[in-house]
Amino acid sequence: MQKPDLRVKLGSLTLQNPVMPASGTFGVETCKLCDIKKIGAILPKSVTLHPRQGNKPPRVAETTGGMLNAVGIQNKGLDYFIEEILPFYMPYAMPMIVSISAYSVDEFKRMVERLEGLDGIAAIELNISCPNLEAGGKAFGMNSGATYQIVKEVKALTGKVIIPKLTPNVEDITVIAKAAEEAGADAVALTNTFLGMAIDIKSKKPKLGNIIGGLSGPAIKPISLRMVWQTAQKIKIPVIGGGGIQNWEDAIEYLLAGASAIQVGTANFTNPNSMVEIVEGIEQYMLQHSIKSVEEIIGGLMIG
Amino acid sequence: MQKPDLRVKLGSLTLQNPVMPASGTFGVETCKLCDIKKIGAILPKSVTLHPRQGNKPPRVAETTGGMLNAVGIQNKGLDYFIEEILPFYMPYAMPMIVSISAYSVDEFKRMVERLEGLDGIAAIELNISCPNLEAGGKAFGMNSGATYQIVKEVKALTGKVIIPKLTPNVEDITVIAKAAEEAGADAVALTNTFLGMAIDIKSKKPKLGNIIGGLSGPAIKPISLRMVWQTAQKIKIPVIGGGGIQNWEDAIEYLLAGASAIQVGTANFTNPNSMVEIVEGIEQYMLQHSIKSVEEIIGGLMIG
Amino acid sequence: MHLYRGIVLANDCIAEMYYHIKIQCAGLAKEVKEGQIIYIRCGTLADPLLRRPFSIYRFDETEGIIEFVYIVKGKGTEIIKTLRPGNEIDLLGPGGRCYELAAGVKAICIIGRGVGIASVVSIAEKARKLGIHVTAILSGRTDNAIISRKLLSDIGCDVIGVNDQENTSGPENVTQLLEEAVNRYGIGQIFTCGSNRVGRLVRGISRKYNIPAYVSLEERMACGIGICYGCVCETKNGYRTVCKDGPVFAIEEVVL
Amino acid sequence: MHLYRGIVLANDCIAEMYYHIKIQCAGLAKEVKEGQIIYIRCGTLADPLLRRPFSIYRFDETEGIIEFVYIVKGKGTEIIKTLRPGNEIDLLGPGGRCYELAAGVKAICIIGRGVGIASVVSIAEKARKLGIHVTAILSGRTDNAIISRKLLSDIGCDVIGVNDQENTSGPENVTQLLEEAVNRYGIGQIFTCGSNRVGRLVRGISRKYNIPAYVSLEERMACGIGICYGCVCETKNGYRTVCKDGPVFAIEEVVL
Ligand SMILES: Cc1cc2nc3c(=O)[nH]c(=O)nc-3n(C[C@H](O)[C@H](O)[C@H](O)COP(=O)(O)OP(=O)(O)OC[C@H]3O[C@@H](n4cnc5c(N)ncnc54)[C@H](O)[C@@H]3O)c2cc1C
Ligand SMILES: Cc1cc2nc3c(=O)[nH]c(=O)nc-3n(C[C@H](O)[C@H](O)[C@H](O)COP(=O)(O)OP(=O)(O)OC[C@H]3O[C@@H](n4cnc5c(N)ncnc54)[C@H](O)[C@@H]3O)c2cc1C
Ligand SMILES: Cc1cc2nc3c(=O)[nH]c(=O)nc-3n(C[C@H](O)[C@H](O)[C@H](O)COP(=O)(O)O)c2cc1C
Ligand SMILES: Cc1cc2nc3c(=O)[nH]c(=O)nc-3n(C[C@H](O)[C@H](O)[C@H](O)COP(=O)(O)O)c2cc1C
Ligand code: FES
Ligand code: FES
């Protein structure tokens, strides 16, 4: 059989395959450890307008089948990102998706304006899971109105593909996804981490300096997968699915549930080669089942 | 040192220790496999007014560090429960907490009226995670108004301790807990399972006959624990905590987070003796740390 | 039913993907009956989380030994595979209803395929001890993949092997073999397991000749003790649990 | 830094709760430097999920062997403990900055406690090979719990053991021993690890005598490669990652 076609589309963007990193779990160092040019897109850690120190340590704690993190988006700010980090990735042929995080609509807009002028950036992921300081600290992504507003205002500023990344800490994620779609988002990514905590019973202290953090890893997969499936049925724009993907089998589950592409996060820590292995696994699966295009898998869940 | 005091209070109820089963994971058969009289309370599977067939199989699926279930409260109805199941537990000295589930406020009320007249029932747990058929199918527990109404109306009918059991599938569980408290609940139990799904990539079908089910087990512990901690800070009535408790260390985490008692669910499947081992573990821990009363542990999380 | 700790005596590959494990566990060997289920905890960590159910293959009360035959399929059986003689194993059981020989029956037939054969071996052994004639129709992908053939011959069963490779395992041939046995030996009970295809075939014969037949079913399980209602199968009396009401059902009760 | 597969050569308990593992892994043995970190995957399942970080204890480039000393603490090290000669082991590393000997230094001091001693052994070995004098102040709960004492003596280190049982491990005594060594041998660099208490003590001497000192830190980690910012410690230059900017820091850089 001929080589299967793994290409997928995210709005006007075409990826050579549906596998990309989840923001914050990938960096320059990853590229030295695996054959990174095999993946579908590059997606570095979220960057903020100004440098951020991040939260006080400890910042990570292992849980059963998962991990908590409260890094607090430690980064050196947008200028540093543009000057020092972006150039490293420019030689790669895959689309660059820049993840940005901000604490007000205005900050989001200023960042998008900065990025708009730059070549080599295909898409912008809006990490709207951070607290909205204009609205009492609730994350933007927990409110459909705020989500709509950000996407709408940002889309007016740029021709780049805009992908809001949704938080699962809501009652009904499809409502937020719908708001993003109506505001003109090109795709949505879900899910970010689940708010959780862990306690060290010896010291009686929280295991995270920040008390609460985000749960990721295979533990959350069933919940994220359910949200992706529900969302894919409610909106027409592509869904990028993720949460707990460890191997190609997990990736296929997300594709069947309706994800057009998938993000690999925590698995990059256990195995820095996992994204490459997932791409290879999907290709093998397609060969074995004579599936010509990965698009045939997307949304292929059989019900009833 | 003298024997530590494990007693805890739930409203007017005193338990010999804070350990009880989570509804649906305990039954007559458990009592034959472990020294059940050592636990703090008895809490059988949720019962409905009329018999229920339950959902179509497969009803359970293992996930990483957890499991999905979509049993659909298969049970023989309240009459059968009262006549055939209740009498089995009557010889035990521990308080009996009956878990009831219903699809309308009226149904809840009819069940409580039926139970009110019966001796040997100390408390009623209201499983309000089931869909509210009067309000478009959203679970009662996803709406603070509905939660308030049920608790209020039920409390007017009975002198028994009333414990609504909250679903975690909400944006802010403390809002629901607060509504329950205001309506007169004696305690709240949280959390029930998280909505999730899993897909069999060979058959391309959902692993559950019902497509979506509830995720339980250690995978969810960080999220449930966070909710228990947040809730215990917002309300004055006792919180019964649960979600992923596997061993006494997990139980201590919940107590430190502010739970006055804890529920053990999925762990009963892996090890039918786990509740007894948790009671023993808490006792050992108290002996080792010279803690006289378990109440000293409750809410003892150290912050800052 | 109890929680037990056993000690592994042997654990070896017996054919293709089949493994055979022998465990010292006097309590279970005494308590278990033909066709019942035992639940093995695989490792001590939370992945995999749930116990794995296996049919008792053989048991010896005097020696205090129980045996299973299993296929390495996923992470649970991968762990069981690594157990070495002397290792401890955490067992829960026995659970569920067993196969039972009817009073006065002179001949029985067991019919199984693949690893399912494991679940009907013990009832054949029991029958032979009582001098009852046993016809064993054993099916596999290849002739090599048929387990227990020698064991069953040795104890005097009339063993018939069929396989896919030689095209002898199709429903028509199996039906014919079964009918021949019924006619020749006056089969009084039929015991089978697993697949719906074999189940329906057996039900056909069972009805035609009015011979009681029993089938052992499988379902995804959680508790294994009848409290979670996770493992139900459809029966003429509604959903019933495989772990407690089964795994052995009268063939007329279940929906195949 | 790379992903490697090693083969376990030996894995034994060496004292109380300390274990010593020897692994054949030519690539790592070649790439690793004194004081660097290697990340071990414990099992292949999701519990435990993350790799466990360990300091390189010894390595031999010609033989292609690397060694660790570890304490069995939780589920990860419980799994490592079960590895037998011949088993495969999944390794990621080496990561982070190493201990480095300054040009022209004539004498150094290593000072470690408990399993922390493991992280400073390799730099002592290197120094001895270059003919540099090494004072090794080794602390433990009991005298028996002091690891590597014989090894370090054998290669010609001046080994001083202190322990809690005999009350010799208190800060005053250790400070005095360190000062004596400084005065006697003209210590040019001090290498230490772990606890804040020892760190502060070393910092005192370092400042008093103007001797550069280095400390190896520990923090909870996730990626181990410098991308997650999970493992930061507080330094005078803000939060820095232990896995990449460390684990070895100049003692003046970190906040102890
Ligand atoms: C009553 C009964 C008797 C059985 N007897 C035997 C036997 O004697 N020999 C044998 O090899 N197998 C038997 N099985 C099947 C055996 O339980 C599964 O092969 C085993 O659980 C697979 O576990 P795994 O972790 O290797 O596979 P995985 O695929 O990783 O398992 C994932 C989950 O699915 C469940 N599962 C997978 N396959 C089955 C199945 N066929 N039935 C029920 N649950 C399943 C597992 O228990 C686990 O919860 C029996 C099953 C039942 C229900
Ligand atoms: C740079 C560095 C070097 C180390 N070198 C050694 C060494 O040479 N020998 C040795 O015995 N130990 C060393 N440790 C500590 C070792 O990593 C932990 O003891 C080990 O991770 C415990 O794992 P566990 O699963 O047995 O324990 P658990 O308590 O079950 O681990 C739970 C989680 O906490 C983490 N954790 C527990 N203790 C520590 C710790 N002290 N530091 C960082 N994370 C921890 C684990 O990695 C895991 O993520 C080092 C740690 C670091 C950061
Ligand atoms: C250490 C860590 C840091 C993360 N940082 C970010 C971030 O900066 N921006 C973001 O949108 N998501 C961040 N995430 C969330 C991941 O991108 C991903 O959505 C989440 O971890 C779920 O996927 P997983 O289970 O595959 O890890 C982070 C996750 C982890 C574990
Ligand atoms: C198989 C199964 C059946 C359950 N049935 C009920 C039920 O009838 N009523 C109820 O309130 N909760 C039910 N639950 C939820 C548990 O009581 C518990 O809240 C949940 O499983 C989380 O705890 P755990 O992680 O300790 O299992 C069920 C859970 C499982 C796994
Ligand atoms: S597995 Fe729980 S009832 Fe059968
Ligand atoms: S562990 Fe990820 S940056 Fe150090």
Side-chain angles (χ1 to χ4, degrees):
Chain A
M1 200 190 135
Q2 85 195 74
K3 221 173 138 54
D5 184 355
L6 270 77
R7 283 174 305 170
V8 296
K9 289 198 147 209
L10 298 178
S12 58
L13 213 67
T14 302
L15 313 186
Q16 63 177 343
N17 65 59
V19 181
M20 67 178 81
S23 181
T25 65
F26 170 85
V28 168
E29 291 76 8
T30 318
C31 306
K32 298 173 188 161
L33 282 168
C34 69
D35 192 4
I36 203 66
K37 62 182 185 299
K38 290 209 172 149
I39 70 173
I42 284 177
L43 205 169
K45 178 164 182 61
S46 294
V47 60
T48 53
L49 187 55
H50 304 296
R52 278 175 61 86
Q53 267 266 296
N55 294 324
K56 75 166 188 232
R59 290 179 173 180
V60 292
E62 191 184 67
T63 66
T64 307
M67 62 169 281
L68 289 163
N69 90 80
V71 171
I73 319 200
Q74 174 173 348
N75 79 101
K76 295 186 176 157
L78 190 58
D79 287 341
Y80 181 90
F81 177 81
I82 291 172
E83 283 149 36
E84 303 292 330
I85 299 178
L86 215 43
F88 173 87
Y89 294 111
M90 284 304 114
Y92 292 103
M94 305 86 84
M96 158 63 78
I97 304 175
V98 174
S99 168
I100 64 172
S101 205
Y103 301 84
S104 69
V105 178
D106 186 54
E107 230 175 51
F108 268 116
K109 286 166 71 178
R110 282 172 61 192
M111 293 183 79
V112 170
E113 276 168 344
R114 226 13 255 284
L115 294 167
E116 172 59 10
L118 299 176
D119 282 342
I121 297 177
I124 300 172
E125 188 175 83
L126 306 173
N127 177 1
I128 54 173
S129 307
C130 33
N132 178 353
L133 298 185
E134 288 159 346
K138 226 168 94 168
F140 289 98
M142 290 173 80
N143 183 292
S144 56
T147 302
Y148 181 89
Q149 190 198 353
I150 290 190
V151 175
K152 190 92 188 167
E153 299 203 14
V154 155
K155 274 299 284 185
L157 299 173
T158 181
K160 297 192 194 295
V161 166
I162 292 294
I163 309 169
K165 178 169 172 185
L166 310 184
T167 167
N169 300 294
V170 295
E171 191 183 294
D172 186 351
I173 203 165
T174 68
V175 172
I176 314 288
K178 195 97 196 131
E181 178 180 44
E182 275 161 19
D186 299 283
V188 290
L190 55 149
T191 71
N192 213 312
T193 55
F194 291 74
L195 294 175
M197 76 186 286
I199 298 173
D200 179 342
I201 64 166
K202 288 214 188 81
S203 67
K204 297 189 185 167
K205 286 189 192 154
K207 285 194 180 171
L208 296 177
N210 193 50
I211 310 174
I212 284 180
L215 183 67
S216 63
I220 67 170
K221 199 191 78 182
I223 321 181
S224 297
L225 183 68
R226 184 261 302 174
M227 291 182 175
V228 165
W229 177 68
Q230 289 177 323
T231 303
Q233 286 173 297
K234 286 268 173 66
I235 60 176
K236 291 190 192 70
I237 54 173
V239 174
I240 306 175
I245 296 177
Q246 295 252 99
N247 48 41
W248 67 266
E249 290 94 333
D250 294 338
I252 300 281
E253 281 192 66
Y254 272 93
L255 296 174
L256 287 170
S260 296
I262 60 101
Q263 294 189 342
V264 180
T266 306
N268 290 314
F269 302 162
T270 312
N271 175 10
N273 200 37
S274 41
M275 288 187 291
V276 173
E277 289 172 16
I278 289 170
V279 173
E280 290 167 353
I282 296 175
E283 188 164 348
Q284 280 306 313
Y285 170 86
M286 289 173 66
L287 276 170
Q288 260 161 39
H289 293 78
S290 306
I291 299 168
K292 287 205 192 71
S293 158
V294 81
E295 311 251 2
E296 295 170 39
I297 306 174
I298 296 167
L301 181 68
M302 308 224 292
I303 281 174
Chain B
M1 198 190 137
Q2 86 196 73
K3 221 172 137 57
D5 183 356
L6 271 77
R7 283 175 305 170
V8 295
K9 288 199 146 209
L10 298 178
S12 57
L13 213 66
T14 301
L15 313 186
Q16 62 174 343
N17 66 59
V19 181
M20 68 178 81
S23 180
T25 65
F26 170 86
V28 167
E29 291 77 8
T30 318
C31 306
K32 299 175 189 162
L33 281 169
C34 69
D35 192 4
I36 202 67
K37 63 183 183 301
K38 290 209 172 149
I39 69 173
I42 285 177
L43 206 169
K45 179 163 182 62
S46 295
V47 58
T48 52
L49 186 56
H50 304 296
R52 278 175 61 85
Q53 266 266 296
N55 294 323
K56 75 167 188 227
R59 290 179 173 182
V60 292
E62 192 184 65
T63 67
T64 306
M67 63 169 280
L68 290 163
N69 90 79
V71 171
I73 318 201
Q74 174 173 347
N75 79 99
K76 295 188 177 155
L78 189 59
D79 288 339
Y80 181 90
F81 177 81
I82 291 172
E83 282 149 37
E84 304 291 330
I85 299 178
L86 216 44
F88 172 87
Y89 294 111
M90 284 304 114
Y92 292 103
M94 305 88 84
M96 158 63 77
I97 305 175
V98 174
S99 168
I100 63 172
S101 204
Y103 301 84
S104 69
V105 178
D106 186 54
E107 230 174 50
F108 268 116
K109 286 166 70 177
R110 282 173 62 193
M111 292 182 80
V112 171
E113 277 169 343
R114 215 31 241 286
L115 294 168
E116 172 58 10
L118 299 177
D119 283 341
I121 298 178
I124 299 171
E125 187 175 86
L126 306 172
N127 177 2
I128 54 172
S129 308
C130 32
N132 177 353
L133 297 186
E134 287 159 347
K138 228 168 93 169
F140 288 99
M142 289 175 80
N143 183 292
S144 55
T147 302
Y148 181 90
Q149 190 198 350
I150 289 190
V151 175
K152 189 93 188 166
E153 300 205 11
V154 156
K155 273 298 284 184
L157 298 174
T158 181
K160 297 191 196 293
V161 166
I162 291 295
I163 309 169
K165 177 167 173 187
L166 310 184
T167 166
N169 300 296
V170 295
E171 191 184 293
D172 185 351
I173 202 165
T174 69
V175 172
I176 314 288
K178 195 97 196 130
E181 177 181 45
E182 276 161 17
D186 297 283
V188 290
L190 55 149
T191 70
N192 214 312
T193 54
F194 292 74
L195 294 175
M197 74 187 285
I199 298 172
D200 179 342
I201 64 166
K202 288 214 189 81
S203 67
K204 297 189 185 167
K205 286 190 193 154
K207 284 194 182 172
L208 296 177
N210 193 50
I211 309 174
I212 284 180
L215 183 66
S216 63
I220 67 170
K221 199 192 76 182
I223 320 180
S224 297
L225 183 68
R226 185 261 300 174
M227 291 183 174
V228 165
W229 177 68
Q230 290 177 324
T231 303
Q233 288 174 295
K234 286 267 173 67
I235 61 174
K236 291 190 192 68
I237 54 172
V239 174
I240 306 175
I245 296 177
Q246 294 251 101
N247 48 40
W248 66 266
E249 291 95 334
D250 294 338
I252 299 282
E253 281 193 66
Y254 272 93
L255 296 174
L256 287 170
S260 297
I262 59 102
Q263 294 189 342
V264 179
T266 306
N268 291 315
F269 301 161
T270 312
N271 175 10
N273 200 36
S274 41
M275 288 187 291
V276 173
E277 289 173 16
I278 289 169
V279 173
E280 290 167 352
I282 296 175
E283 188 163 350
Q284 281 305 312
Y285 170 85
M286 291 174 66
L287 275 170
Q288 260 161 39
H289 293 77
S290 306
I291 300 168
K292 286 204 194 70
S293 159
V294 80
E295 309 252 0
E296 295 168 39
I297 307 174
I298 296 168
L301 181 68
M302 309 225 292
I303 281 174
Chain C
M1 193 169 210
H2 294 90
L3 274 169
Y4 287 104
R5 303 219 139 253
I7 302 288
V8 175
L9 298 174
N11 189 20
D12 305 294
C13 185
I14 49 168
E16 294 188 8
M17 62 292 213
Y18 297 110
Y19 284 74
H20 176 203
I21 189 168
K22 269 178 118 157
I23 298 166
Q24 186 80 50
C25 186
L28 250 180
K30 193 166 170 180
E31 200 182 341
V32 71
K33 293 214 183 75
E34 293 75 18
Q36 281 191 301
I37 320 172
I38 293 171
Y39 301 88
I40 298 187
R41 182 135 159 64
C42 308
T44 56
L45 297 168
D47 183 19
L49 186 69
L50 301 172
R51 288 174 183 271
R52 295 330 195 217
F54 296 93
S55 303
I56 188 76
Y57 169 56
R58 300 180 71 196
F59 56 97
D60 183 330
E61 202 188 315
T62 14
E63 300 284 323
I65 292 173
I66 56 165
E67 302 175 32
F68 309 100
V69 172
Y70 63 96
I71 301 190
V72 174
K73 206 178 140 181
K75 47 193 179 182
T77 45
E78 278 291 351
I79 291 178
I80 298 176
K81 190 178 97 176
T82 66
L83 292 170
R84 291 287 140 257
N87 287 165
E88 266 206 358
I89 183 166
D90 178 342
L91 306 157
L92 171 67
R97 294 198 303 185
C98 60
Y99 290 116
E100 269 173 299
L101 292 170
V105 73
K106 294 283 177 306
I108 64 165
C109 178
I110 62 167
I111 167 165
R113 182 173 162 87
V115 79
I117 295 171
S119 78
V120 285
V121 164
S122 57
I123 192 67
E125 285 199 287
K126 181 173 186 184
R128 288 304 301 140
K129 276 188 205 139
L130 298 172
I132 296 169
H133 185 276
V134 177
T135 305
I137 304 179
L138 312 178
S139 168
R141 261 189 330 101
T142 65
D143 197 50
N144 274 338
I146 293 176
I147 58 172
S148 307
R149 165 184 252 157
K150 184 167 178 312
L151 168 76
L152 291 168
S153 298
D154 286 353
I155 59 170
C157 300
D158 197 352
V159 178
I160 308 166
V162 297
N163 65 68
D164 304 354
Q165 216 170 27
E166 295 167 350
N167 261 316
T168 48
S169 57
E172 276 129 68
N173 190 44
V174 174
T175 305
Q176 196 185 321
L177 291 166
L178 185 52
E179 287 205 65
E180 274 169 27
V182 165
N183 293 326
R184 191 171 314 160
Y185 304 112
I187 303 281
Q189 284 177 297
I190 308 173
F191 301 95
T192 185
C193 66
S195 92
N196 280 359
R197 213 186 56 176
V198 178
R200 277 193 291 264
L201 176 162
V202 169
R203 185 178 58 196
I205 302 290
S206 161
R207 286 182 182 167
K208 183 164 167 191
Y209 295 94
N210 198 20
I211 303 170
Y214 305 88
V215 61
S216 173
L217 297 184
E218 293 188 5
E219 244 313 329
R220 305 285 141 159
M221 295 185 166
C223 73
I225 63 173
I227 58 177
C228 78
Y229 297 94
C231 65
V232 297
C233 63
E234 222 181 314
T235 76
K236 291 186 183 139
N237 309 309
Y239 288 132
R240 308 211 57 194
T241 61
V242 168
C243 73
K244 193 168 167 242
D245 302 322
V248 175
F249 290 94
I251 210 152
E252 286 303 337
E253 189 186 351
V254 297
V255 178
L256 292 173
Chain D
M1 192 169 211
H2 293 91
L3 274 169
Y4 287 105
R5 304 221 137 247
I7 302 289
V8 176
L9 298 173
N11 188 20
D12 304 294
C13 184
I14 50 170
E16 294 189 5
M17 63 292 216
Y18 298 111
Y19 284 74
H20 176 203
I21 189 168
K22 270 179 117 158
I23 299 166
Q24 185 81 50
C25 186
L28 250 181
K30 193 166 171 180
E31 199 182 342
V32 71
K33 293 215 185 74
E34 294 74 17
Q36 282 192 300
I37 321 172
I38 292 170
Y39 301 89
I40 297 186
R41 183 134 158 64
C42 309
T44 55
L45 297 168
D47 183 21
L49 186 70
L50 301 172
R51 288 175 183 270
R52 295 332 194 214
F54 296 93
S55 303
I56 188 78
Y57 169 57
R58 301 180 71 198
F59 57 96
D60 184 329
E61 202 187 316
T62 14
E63 300 285 324
I65 291 174
I66 55 165
E67 302 176 31
F68 309 100
V69 172
Y70 63 96
I71 300 190
V72 173
K73 207 178 139 179
K75 47 192 179 182
T77 45
E78 278 292 350
I79 292 177
I80 298 175
K81 190 178 97 176
T82 65
L83 292 170
R84 291 287 139 257
N87 286 164
E88 268 206 358
I89 183 166
D90 178 342
L91 307 156
L92 172 67
R97 294 196 306 182
C98 59
Y99 290 116
E100 266 172 301
L101 293 169
V105 74
K106 294 285 179 300
I108 64 165
C109 178
I110 62 167
I111 166 164
R113 181 174 162 86
V115 79
I117 297 171
S119 78
V120 285
V121 164
S122 57
I123 192 67
E125 285 199 286
K126 181 172 186 184
R128 289 304 301 139
K129 276 188 203 137
L130 299 171
I132 296 169
H133 185 275
V134 177
T135 305
I137 303 180
L138 311 178
S139 169
R141 260 189 330 102
T142 65
D143 197 52
N144 273 338
I146 294 176
I147 57 172
S148 307
R149 165 183 253 158
K150 183 164 180 314
L151 168 76
L152 291 168
S153 300
D154 286 352
I155 59 170
C157 299
D158 197 351
V159 177
I160 308 167
V162 296
N163 65 67
D164 305 354
Q165 217 170 27
E166 296 167 350
N167 258 318
T168 48
S169 57
E172 278 128 66
N173 191 44
V174 173
T175 306
Q176 197 187 319
L177 291 167
L178 185 51
E179 287 205 69
E180 276 170 27
V182 165
N183 294 326
R184 190 172 312 162
Y185 304 111
I187 303 282
Q189 284 178 296
I190 307 173
F191 301 96
T192 185
C193 67
S195 90
N196 280 358
R197 216 185 54 173
V198 178
R200 277 192 292 263
L201 176 162
V202 168
R203 185 176 59 195
I205 303 290
S206 160
R207 285 183 182 165
K208 183 162 168 193
Y209 296 93
N210 199 20
I211 303 169
Y214 305 88
V215 60
S216 173
L217 298 183
E218 292 189 4
E219 245 312 330
R220 305 285 140 159
M221 296 184 163
C223 73
I225 63 173
I227 57 176
C228 78
Y229 297 94
C231 65
V232 297
C233 62
E234 224 181 314
T235 75
K236 294 190 179 135
N237 308 309
Y239 288 133
R240 307 208 60 193
T241 59
V242 168
C243 72
K244 191 166 168 244
D245 303 323
V248 175
F249 291 94
I251 209 152
E252 287 304 337
E253 190 186 349
V254 296
V255 178
L256 292 173

